PDB file of all heavy atoms in Angstrom:
ATOM      1  N   SER A 475      77.858-115.810 187.283  1.00 98.00           N
ATOM      2  CA  SER A 475      76.648-116.695 187.447  1.00 98.00           C
ATOM      3  C   SER A 475      77.108-118.164 187.454  1.00 98.00           C
ATOM      4  O   SER A 475      78.245-118.460 187.185  1.00 98.00           O
ATOM      5  CB  SER A 475      75.708-116.538 186.259  1.00 98.00           C
ATOM      6  OG  SER A 475      76.288-117.074 185.055  1.00 98.00           O
ATOM      7  N   HIS A 476      76.168-118.998 187.757  1.00 98.00           N
ATOM      8  CA  HIS A 476      76.328-120.403 187.475  1.00 98.00           C
ATOM      9  C   HIS A 476      76.422-120.625 186.011  1.00 98.00           C
ATOM     10  O   HIS A 476      75.614-120.036 185.240  1.00 98.00           O
ATOM     11  CB  HIS A 476      75.083-121.096 188.089  1.00 98.00           C
ATOM     12  CG  HIS A 476      74.815-122.399 187.499  1.00 98.00           C
ATOM     13  ND1 HIS A 476      73.602-122.691 186.862  1.00 98.00           N
ATOM     14  CD2 HIS A 476      75.550-123.503 187.360  1.00 98.00           C
ATOM     15  CE1 HIS A 476      73.627-123.916 186.429  1.00 98.00           C
ATOM     16  NE2 HIS A 476      74.804-124.456 186.714  1.00 98.00           N
ATOM     17  N   GLU A 491      81.380-119.087 178.379  1.00 98.00           N
ATOM     18  CA  GLU A 491      79.992-118.756 178.683  1.00 98.00           C
ATOM     19  C   GLU A 491      80.007-117.598 179.690  1.00 98.00           C
ATOM     20  O   GLU A 491      79.259-116.612 179.519  1.00 98.00           O
ATOM     21  CB  GLU A 491      79.252-119.947 179.319  1.00 98.00           C
ATOM     22  CG  GLU A 491      77.793-119.709 179.548  1.00 98.00           C
ATOM     23  CD  GLU A 491      77.062-120.880 180.197  1.00 98.00           C
ATOM     24  OE1 GLU A 491      77.571-122.004 180.189  1.00 98.00           O
ATOM     25  OE2 GLU A 491      75.978-120.617 180.717  1.00 98.00           O
ATOM     26  N   TYR A 495      78.509-113.343 179.314  1.00 98.00           N
ATOM     27  CA  TYR A 495      77.546-112.652 180.178  1.00 98.00           C
ATOM     28  C   TYR A 495      78.177-111.363 180.788  1.00 98.00           C
ATOM     29  O   TYR A 495      77.511-110.622 181.499  1.00 98.00           O
ATOM     30  CB  TYR A 495      77.142-113.548 181.357  1.00 98.00           C
ATOM     31  CG  TYR A 495      76.493-114.842 180.978  1.00 98.00           C
ATOM     32  CD1 TYR A 495      76.695-115.963 181.778  1.00 98.00           C
ATOM     33  CD2 TYR A 495      75.681-114.943 179.851  1.00 98.00           C
ATOM     34  CE1 TYR A 495      76.076-117.173 181.469  1.00 98.00           C
ATOM     35  CE2 TYR A 495      75.105-116.160 179.538  1.00 98.00           C
ATOM     36  CZ  TYR A 495      75.304-117.285 180.305  1.00 98.00           C
ATOM     37  OH  TYR A 495      74.745-118.478 179.998  1.00 98.00           O
ATOM     38  N   ASN A 686      70.463-114.041 194.488  1.00 98.00           N
ATOM     39  CA  ASN A 686      69.162-114.472 193.865  1.00 98.00           C
ATOM     40  C   ASN A 686      68.010-113.634 194.478  1.00 98.00           C
ATOM     41  O   ASN A 686      68.030-113.319 195.639  1.00 98.00           O
ATOM     42  CB  ASN A 686      68.830-115.922 194.189  1.00 98.00           C
ATOM     43  CG  ASN A 686      69.900-116.881 193.703  1.00 98.00           C
ATOM     44  OD1 ASN A 686      70.253-116.864 192.555  1.00 98.00           O
ATOM     45  ND2 ASN A 686      70.462-117.693 194.634  1.00 98.00           N
ATOM     46  N   GLU A 700      64.232-116.379 191.991  1.00 98.00           N
ATOM     47  CA  GLU A 700      63.564-115.543 190.983  1.00 98.00           C
ATOM     48  C   GLU A 700      64.595-114.673 190.362  1.00 98.00           C
ATOM     49  O   GLU A 700      65.667-114.407 190.928  1.00 98.00           O
ATOM     50  CB  GLU A 700      62.443-114.735 191.644  1.00 98.00           C
ATOM     51  CG  GLU A 700      61.648-113.825 190.743  1.00 98.00           C
ATOM     52  CD  GLU A 700      61.054-114.530 189.503  1.00 98.00           C
ATOM     53  OE1 GLU A 700      61.781-114.885 188.603  1.00 98.00           O
ATOM     54  OE2 GLU A 700      59.817-114.725 189.529  1.00 98.00           O
ATOM     55  N   ASN A 701      64.309-114.176 189.145  1.00 98.00           N
ATOM     56  CA  ASN A 701      65.210-113.269 188.474  1.00 98.00           C
ATOM     57  C   ASN A 701      65.335-111.945 189.245  1.00 98.00           C
ATOM     58  O   ASN A 701      64.348-111.530 189.893  1.00 98.00           O
ATOM     59  CB  ASN A 701      64.753-112.978 187.056  1.00 98.00           C
ATOM     60  CG  ASN A 701      64.874-114.239 186.192  1.00 98.00           C
ATOM     61  OD1 ASN A 701      63.891-114.867 185.796  1.00 98.00           O
ATOM     62  ND2 ASN A 701      66.107-114.686 185.940  1.00 98.00           N
ATOM     63  N   ILE A 702      66.527-111.322 189.135  1.00 98.00           N
ATOM     64  CA  ILE A 702      66.802-110.073 189.895  1.00 98.00           C
ATOM     65  C   ILE A 702      65.764-109.018 189.564  1.00 98.00           C
ATOM     66  O   ILE A 702      65.558-108.671 188.374  1.00 98.00           O
ATOM     67  CB  ILE A 702      68.228-109.624 189.562  1.00 98.00           C
ATOM     68  CG1 ILE A 702      69.281-110.667 189.898  1.00 98.00           C
ATOM     69  CG2 ILE A 702      68.550-108.275 190.257  1.00 98.00           C
ATOM     70  CD1 ILE A 702      69.301-111.134 191.322  1.00 98.00           C
ATOM     71  N   TYR A 704      62.576-109.174 189.872  1.00 98.00           N
ATOM     72  CA  TYR A 704      61.248-109.731 189.579  1.00 98.00           C
ATOM     73  C   TYR A 704      60.563-110.356 190.792  1.00 98.00           C
ATOM     74  O   TYR A 704      59.488-110.799 190.750  1.00 98.00           O
ATOM     75  CB  TYR A 704      61.333-110.808 188.465  1.00 98.00           C
ATOM     76  CG  TYR A 704      61.591-110.279 187.091  1.00 98.00           C
ATOM     77  CD1 TYR A 704      62.873-110.034 186.673  1.00 98.00           C
ATOM     78  CD2 TYR A 704      60.537-110.017 186.243  1.00 98.00           C
ATOM     79  CE1 TYR A 704      63.163-109.541 185.368  1.00 98.00           C
ATOM     80  CE2 TYR A 704      60.751-109.505 184.934  1.00 98.00           C
ATOM     81  CZ  TYR A 704      62.081-109.260 184.580  1.00 98.00           C
ATOM     82  OH  TYR A 704      62.293-108.786 183.286  1.00 98.00           O
ATOM     83  N   LEU A 728      75.054-115.379 190.439  1.00 98.00           N
ATOM     84  CA  LEU A 728      73.579-115.515 190.143  1.00 98.00           C
ATOM     85  C   LEU A 728      73.213-116.951 189.892  1.00 98.00           C
ATOM     86  O   LEU A 728      73.878-117.668 189.153  1.00 98.00           O
ATOM     87  CB  LEU A 728      73.285-114.696 188.865  1.00 98.00           C
ATOM     88  CG  LEU A 728      73.527-113.153 188.947  1.00 98.00           C
ATOM     89  CD1 LEU A 728      73.687-112.610 187.560  1.00 98.00           C
ATOM     90  CD2 LEU A 728      72.352-112.517 189.712  1.00 98.00           C
ATOM     91  N   GLU A 729      72.137-117.369 190.534  1.00 98.00           N
ATOM     92  CA  GLU A 729      71.556-118.737 190.274  1.00 98.00           C
ATOM     93  C   GLU A 729      70.114-118.544 189.978  1.00 98.00           C
ATOM     94  O   GLU A 729      69.248-119.300 190.448  1.00 98.00           O
ATOM     95  CB  GLU A 729      71.677-119.571 191.537  1.00 98.00           C
ATOM     96  CG  GLU A 729      72.999-119.825 192.115  1.00 98.00           C
ATOM     97  CD  GLU A 729      72.889-120.616 193.432  1.00 98.00           C
ATOM     98  OE1 GLU A 729      72.348-120.079 194.428  1.00 98.00           O
ATOM     99  OE2 GLU A 729      73.398-121.787 193.442  1.00 98.00           O
ATOM    100  N   THR A 730      69.823-117.497 189.237  1.00 98.00           N
ATOM    101  CA  THR A 730      68.394-117.166 188.919  1.00 98.00           C
ATOM    102  C   THR A 730      67.928-117.989 187.717  1.00 98.00           C
ATOM    103  O   THR A 730      68.782-118.491 186.947  1.00 98.00           O
ATOM    104  CB  THR A 730      68.314-115.646 188.553  1.00 98.00           C
ATOM    105  OG1 THR A 730      69.355-115.388 187.595  1.00 98.00           O
ATOM    106  CG2 THR A 730      68.559-114.793 189.791  1.00 98.00           C
ATOM    107  N   PRO A 731      66.590-118.267 187.631  1.00 98.00           N
ATOM    108  CA  PRO A 731      66.113-119.181 186.595  1.00 98.00           C
ATOM    109  C   PRO A 731      66.196-118.667 185.167  1.00 98.00           C
ATOM    110  O   PRO A 731      66.168-117.488 184.962  1.00 98.00           O
ATOM    111  CB  PRO A 731      64.651-119.425 187.024  1.00 98.00           C
ATOM    112  CG  PRO A 731      64.321-118.266 187.906  1.00 98.00           C
ATOM    113  CD  PRO A 731      65.557-117.759 188.553  1.00 98.00           C
ATOM    114  N   TYR A 732      66.354-119.657 184.268  1.00 98.00           N
ATOM    115  CA  TYR A 732      66.242-119.308 182.833  1.00 98.00           C
ATOM    116  C   TYR A 732      64.841-118.754 182.564  1.00 98.00           C
ATOM    117  O   TYR A 732      63.887-119.071 183.328  1.00 98.00           O
ATOM    118  CB  TYR A 732      66.494-120.534 181.970  1.00 98.00           C
ATOM    119  CG  TYR A 732      67.962-120.842 181.684  1.00 98.00           C
ATOM    120  CD1 TYR A 732      68.946-120.665 182.671  1.00 98.00           C
ATOM    121  CD2 TYR A 732      68.313-121.362 180.472  1.00 98.00           C
ATOM    122  CE1 TYR A 732      70.289-120.939 182.353  1.00 98.00           C
ATOM    123  CE2 TYR A 732      69.669-121.675 180.146  1.00 98.00           C
ATOM    124  CZ  TYR A 732      70.654-121.453 181.111  1.00 98.00           C
ATOM    125  OH  TYR A 732      71.933-121.730 180.823  1.00 98.00           O
ATOM    126  N   TYR A 733      64.625-117.984 181.569  1.00 97.00           N
ATOM    127  CA  TYR A 733      63.339-117.474 181.220  1.00 97.00           C
ATOM    128  C   TYR A 733      62.941-117.843 179.812  1.00 97.00           C
ATOM    129  O   TYR A 733      63.805-118.197 178.998  1.00 97.00           O
ATOM    130  CB  TYR A 733      63.305-115.937 181.412  1.00 97.00           C
ATOM    131  CG  TYR A 733      64.087-115.160 180.336  1.00 97.00           C
ATOM    132  CD1 TYR A 733      63.404-114.506 179.336  1.00 97.00           C
ATOM    133  CD2 TYR A 733      65.488-115.172 180.326  1.00 97.00           C
ATOM    134  CE1 TYR A 733      64.115-113.828 178.340  1.00 97.00           C
ATOM    135  CE2 TYR A 733      66.163-114.526 179.328  1.00 97.00           C
ATOM    136  CZ  TYR A 733      65.530-113.846 178.340  1.00 97.00           C
ATOM    137  OH  TYR A 733      66.192-113.187 177.393  1.00 97.00           O
ATOM    138  N   GLU A 734      61.670-117.733 179.467  1.00 94.00           N
ATOM    139  CA  GLU A 734      61.250-118.081 178.128  1.00 94.00           C
ATOM    140  C   GLU A 734      61.322-116.839 177.238  1.00 94.00           C
ATOM    141  O   GLU A 734      60.623-115.825 177.531  1.00 94.00           O
ATOM    142  CB  GLU A 734      59.808-118.598 178.206  1.00 94.00           C
ATOM    143  CG  GLU A 734      59.517-119.615 177.118  1.00 94.00           C
ATOM    144  CD  GLU A 734      58.120-120.212 177.232  1.00 94.00           C
ATOM    145  OE1 GLU A 734      57.642-120.369 178.386  1.00 94.00           O
ATOM    146  OE2 GLU A 734      57.500-120.484 176.255  1.00 94.00           O
ATOM    147  N   ASP A 735      62.138-116.837 176.230  1.00 91.00           N
ATOM    148  CA  ASP A 735      62.283-115.667 175.389  1.00 91.00           C
ATOM    149  C   ASP A 735      61.175-115.593 174.312  1.00 91.00           C
ATOM    150  O   ASP A 735      60.304-116.416 174.259  1.00 91.00           O
ATOM    151  CB  ASP A 735      63.702-115.577 174.833  1.00 91.00           C
ATOM    152  CG  ASP A 735      63.966-116.641 173.782  1.00 91.00           C
ATOM    153  OD1 ASP A 735      63.031-117.287 173.338  1.00 91.00           O
ATOM    154  OD2 ASP A 735      65.172-116.789 173.415  1.00 91.00           O
ATOM    155  N   TYR A 740      64.169-121.502 176.265  1.00 95.00           N
ATOM    156  CA  TYR A 740      64.645-121.155 177.541  1.00 95.00           C
ATOM    157  C   TYR A 740      66.049-120.528 177.469  1.00 95.00           C
ATOM    158  O   TYR A 740      66.929-121.146 176.891  1.00 95.00           O
ATOM    159  CB  TYR A 740      64.631-122.408 178.486  1.00 95.00           C
ATOM    160  CG  TYR A 740      63.300-122.536 179.124  1.00 95.00           C
ATOM    161  CD1 TYR A 740      62.324-123.370 178.631  1.00 95.00           C
ATOM    162  CD2 TYR A 740      62.957-121.746 180.237  1.00 95.00           C
ATOM    163  CE1 TYR A 740      61.058-123.458 179.154  1.00 95.00           C
ATOM    164  CE2 TYR A 740      61.696-121.805 180.781  1.00 95.00           C
ATOM    165  CZ  TYR A 740      60.754-122.628 180.247  1.00 95.00           C
ATOM    166  OH  TYR A 740      59.510-122.709 180.794  1.00 95.00           O
ATOM    167  N   ALA A 741      66.128-119.325 177.936  1.00 97.00           N
ATOM    168  CA  ALA A 741      67.363-118.593 177.749  1.00 97.00           C
ATOM    169  C   ALA A 741      67.898-118.148 179.090  1.00 97.00           C
ATOM    170  O   ALA A 741      67.169-117.853 180.012  1.00 97.00           O
ATOM    171  CB  ALA A 741      67.131-117.371 176.867  1.00 97.00           C
ATOM    172  N   PRO A 742      69.268-118.083 179.202  1.00 98.00           N
ATOM    173  CA  PRO A 742      69.838-117.608 180.454  1.00 98.00           C
ATOM    174  C   PRO A 742      69.655-116.129 180.608  1.00 98.00           C
ATOM    175  O   PRO A 742      69.784-115.363 179.646  1.00 98.00           O
ATOM    176  CB  PRO A 742      71.333-117.955 180.289  1.00 98.00           C
ATOM    177  CG  PRO A 742      71.574-118.009 178.822  1.00 98.00           C
ATOM    178  CD  PRO A 742      70.284-118.473 178.176  1.00 98.00           C
ATOM    179  N   PRO A 743      69.297-115.681 181.809  1.00 98.00           N
ATOM    180  CA  PRO A 743      69.063-114.253 182.072  1.00 98.00           C
ATOM    181  C   PRO A 743      70.265-113.440 182.411  1.00 98.00           C
ATOM    182  O   PRO A 743      70.209-112.211 182.567  1.00 98.00           O
ATOM    183  CB  PRO A 743      68.098-114.304 183.265  1.00 98.00           C
ATOM    184  CG  PRO A 743      68.622-115.483 184.064  1.00 98.00           C
ATOM    185  CD  PRO A 743      69.049-116.501 183.005  1.00 98.00           C
ATOM    186  N   TYR A 744      71.397-114.145 182.555  1.00 98.00           N
ATOM    187  CA  TYR A 744      72.532-113.558 183.317  1.00 98.00           C
ATOM    188  C   TYR A 744      73.112-112.291 182.676  1.00 98.00           C
ATOM    189  O   TYR A 744      73.498-111.368 183.308  1.00 98.00           O
ATOM    190  CB  TYR A 744      73.626-114.596 183.525  1.00 98.00           C
ATOM    191  CG  TYR A 744      73.055-115.888 184.172  1.00 98.00           C
ATOM    192  CD1 TYR A 744      73.183-117.099 183.588  1.00 98.00           C
ATOM    193  CD2 TYR A 744      72.298-115.774 185.341  1.00 98.00           C
ATOM    194  CE1 TYR A 744      72.572-118.186 184.173  1.00 98.00           C
ATOM    195  CE2 TYR A 744      71.739-116.848 185.946  1.00 98.00           C
ATOM    196  CZ  TYR A 744      71.859-118.107 185.342  1.00 98.00           C
ATOM    197  OH  TYR A 744      71.302-119.190 185.880  1.00 98.00           O
ATOM    198  N   LYS A 745      73.189-112.277 181.292  1.00 98.00           N
ATOM    199  CA  LYS A 745      73.780-111.153 180.634  1.00 98.00           C
ATOM    200  C   LYS A 745      72.987-109.893 180.928  1.00 98.00           C
ATOM    201  O   LYS A 745      73.515-108.837 181.278  1.00 98.00           O
ATOM    202  CB  LYS A 745      73.745-111.395 179.116  1.00 98.00           C
ATOM    203  CG  LYS A 745      74.415-110.372 178.324  1.00 98.00           C
ATOM    204  CD  LYS A 745      74.323-110.680 176.827  1.00 98.00           C
ATOM    205  CE  LYS A 745      74.735-109.470 175.981  1.00 98.00           C
ATOM    206  NZ  LYS A 745      74.635-109.789 174.556  1.00 98.00           N
ATOM    207  N   PHE A 746      71.628-109.990 180.924  1.00 98.00           N
ATOM    208  CA  PHE A 746      70.773-108.849 181.222  1.00 98.00           C
ATOM    209  C   PHE A 746      70.818-108.473 182.675  1.00 98.00           C
ATOM    210  O   PHE A 746      70.864-107.301 183.034  1.00 98.00           O
ATOM    211  CB  PHE A 746      69.329-109.180 180.841  1.00 98.00           C
ATOM    212  CG  PHE A 746      69.166-109.544 179.378  1.00 98.00           C
ATOM    213  CD1 PHE A 746      68.890-110.868 179.059  1.00 98.00           C
ATOM    214  CD2 PHE A 746      69.357-108.612 178.411  1.00 98.00           C
ATOM    215  CE1 PHE A 746      68.785-111.248 177.694  1.00 98.00           C
ATOM    216  CE2 PHE A 746      69.262-108.950 177.042  1.00 98.00           C
ATOM    217  CZ  PHE A 746      69.001-110.285 176.723  1.00 98.00           C
ATOM    218  N   GLU A 747      70.874-109.452 183.540  1.00 98.00           N
ATOM    219  CA  GLU A 747      70.913-109.161 185.011  1.00 98.00           C
ATOM    220  C   GLU A 747      72.176-108.499 185.328  1.00 98.00           C
ATOM    221  O   GLU A 747      72.218-107.524 186.128  1.00 98.00           O
ATOM    222  CB  GLU A 747      70.746-110.459 185.804  1.00 98.00           C
ATOM    223  CG  GLU A 747      69.311-111.018 185.662  1.00 98.00           C
ATOM    224  CD  GLU A 747      69.057-112.281 186.470  1.00 98.00           C
ATOM    225  OE1 GLU A 747      69.973-113.121 186.591  1.00 98.00           O
ATOM    226  OE2 GLU A 747      67.931-112.475 186.906  1.00 98.00           O
ATOM    227  N   ILE A 748      73.303-108.904 184.722  1.00 98.00           N
ATOM    228  CA  ILE A 748      74.591-108.313 185.041  1.00 98.00           C
ATOM    229  C   ILE A 748      74.661-106.879 184.481  1.00 98.00           C
ATOM    230  O   ILE A 748      75.133-105.989 185.172  1.00 98.00           O
ATOM    231  CB  ILE A 748      75.754-109.196 184.497  1.00 98.00           C
ATOM    232  CG1 ILE A 748      75.844-110.496 185.365  1.00 98.00           C
ATOM    233  CG2 ILE A 748      77.079-108.471 184.477  1.00 98.00           C
ATOM    234  CD1 ILE A 748      76.778-111.552 184.912  1.00 98.00           C
ATOM    235  N   ILE A 749      74.114-106.641 183.350  1.00 98.00           N
ATOM    236  CA  ILE A 749      74.051-105.252 182.830  1.00 98.00           C
ATOM    237  C   ILE A 749      73.273-104.352 183.776  1.00 98.00           C
ATOM    238  O   ILE A 749      73.748-103.271 184.176  1.00 98.00           O
ATOM    239  CB  ILE A 749      73.453-105.158 181.400  1.00 98.00           C
ATOM    240  CG1 ILE A 749      74.406-105.780 180.361  1.00 98.00           C
ATOM    241  CG2 ILE A 749      73.143-103.722 181.038  1.00 98.00           C
ATOM    242  CD1 ILE A 749      73.792-105.895 178.952  1.00 98.00           C
ATOM    243  N   SER A 750      72.093-104.850 184.205  1.00 98.00           N
ATOM    244  CA  SER A 750      71.292-104.001 185.047  1.00 98.00           C
ATOM    245  C   SER A 750      71.968-103.757 186.413  1.00 98.00           C
ATOM    246  O   SER A 750      71.826-102.668 187.021  1.00 98.00           O
ATOM    247  CB  SER A 750      69.866-104.512 185.215  1.00 98.00           C
ATOM    248  OG  SER A 750      69.827-105.719 185.982  1.00 98.00           O
ATOM    249  N   ILE A 751      72.717-104.790 186.914  1.00 98.00           N
ATOM    250  CA  ILE A 751      73.414-104.600 188.180  1.00 98.00           C
ATOM    251  C   ILE A 751      74.528-103.592 188.009  1.00 98.00           C
ATOM    252  O   ILE A 751      74.744-102.728 188.812  1.00 98.00           O
ATOM    253  CB  ILE A 751      73.907-105.974 188.690  1.00 98.00           C
ATOM    254  CG1 ILE A 751      72.722-106.777 189.238  1.00 98.00           C
ATOM    255  CG2 ILE A 751      74.965-105.772 189.794  1.00 98.00           C
ATOM    256  CD1 ILE A 751      73.056-108.226 189.490  1.00 98.00           C
ATOM    257  N   TYR A 757      65.795-103.161 184.414  1.00 87.00           N
ATOM    258  CA  TYR A 757      64.876-103.072 183.307  1.00 87.00           C
ATOM    259  C   TYR A 757      64.332-104.471 183.019  1.00 87.00           C
ATOM    260  O   TYR A 757      64.953-105.477 183.316  1.00 87.00           O
ATOM    261  CB  TYR A 757      65.488-102.408 182.068  1.00 87.00           C
ATOM    262  CG  TYR A 757      66.592-103.192 181.399  1.00 87.00           C
ATOM    263  CD1 TYR A 757      66.308-104.010 180.312  1.00 87.00           C
ATOM    264  CD2 TYR A 757      67.895-103.086 181.834  1.00 87.00           C
ATOM    265  CE1 TYR A 757      67.284-104.713 179.699  1.00 87.00           C
ATOM    266  CE2 TYR A 757      68.886-103.801 181.202  1.00 87.00           C
ATOM    267  CZ  TYR A 757      68.584-104.617 180.135  1.00 87.00           C
ATOM    268  OH  TYR A 757      69.595-105.317 179.558  1.00 87.00           O
ATOM    269  N   PHE A 759      63.614-107.488 180.999  1.00 94.00           N
ATOM    270  CA  PHE A 759      64.174-108.141 179.796  1.00 94.00           C
ATOM    271  C   PHE A 759      63.302-109.269 179.274  1.00 94.00           C
ATOM    272  O   PHE A 759      63.579-109.881 178.278  1.00 94.00           O
ATOM    273  CB  PHE A 759      65.621-108.668 180.042  1.00 94.00           C
ATOM    274  CG  PHE A 759      65.724-109.676 181.231  1.00 94.00           C
ATOM    275  CD1 PHE A 759      65.432-111.027 180.963  1.00 94.00           C
ATOM    276  CD2 PHE A 759      66.022-109.237 182.481  1.00 94.00           C
ATOM    277  CE1 PHE A 759      65.572-111.932 181.998  1.00 94.00           C
ATOM    278  CE2 PHE A 759      66.092-110.164 183.508  1.00 94.00           C
ATOM    279  CZ  PHE A 759      65.863-111.518 183.267  1.00 94.00           C
ATOM    280  N   LYS A 760      62.170-109.493 179.976  1.00 91.00           N
ATOM    281  CA  LYS A 760      61.347-110.630 179.589  1.00 91.00           C
ATOM    282  C   LYS A 760      60.332-110.285 178.536  1.00 91.00           C
ATOM    283  O   LYS A 760      59.890-109.176 178.488  1.00 91.00           O
ATOM    284  CB  LYS A 760      60.646-111.209 180.818  1.00 91.00           C
ATOM    285  CG  LYS A 760      61.631-111.902 181.763  1.00 91.00           C
ATOM    286  CD  LYS A 760      60.848-112.582 182.931  1.00 91.00           C
ATOM    287  CE  LYS A 760      61.822-113.222 183.859  1.00 91.00           C
ATOM    288  NZ  LYS A 760      61.188-113.810 185.042  1.00 91.00           N
TER     289      LYS A 760
END
Side-chain angles (χ1 to χ4, degrees):
S475 71
H476 155 240
E491 186 183 344
Y495 302 147
N686 301 306
E700 180 56 285
N701 292 110
I702 300 302
Y704 286 87
L728 297 158
E729 302 175 294
T730 49
Y732 276 37
Y733 72 104
E734 212 177 325
D735 70 11
Y740 272 97
Y744 309 122
K745 186 179 168 183
F746 302 110
E747 292 181 327
I748 289 173
I749 289 174
S750 71
I751 288 168
Y757 69 95
F759 60 85
K760 289 186 182 175

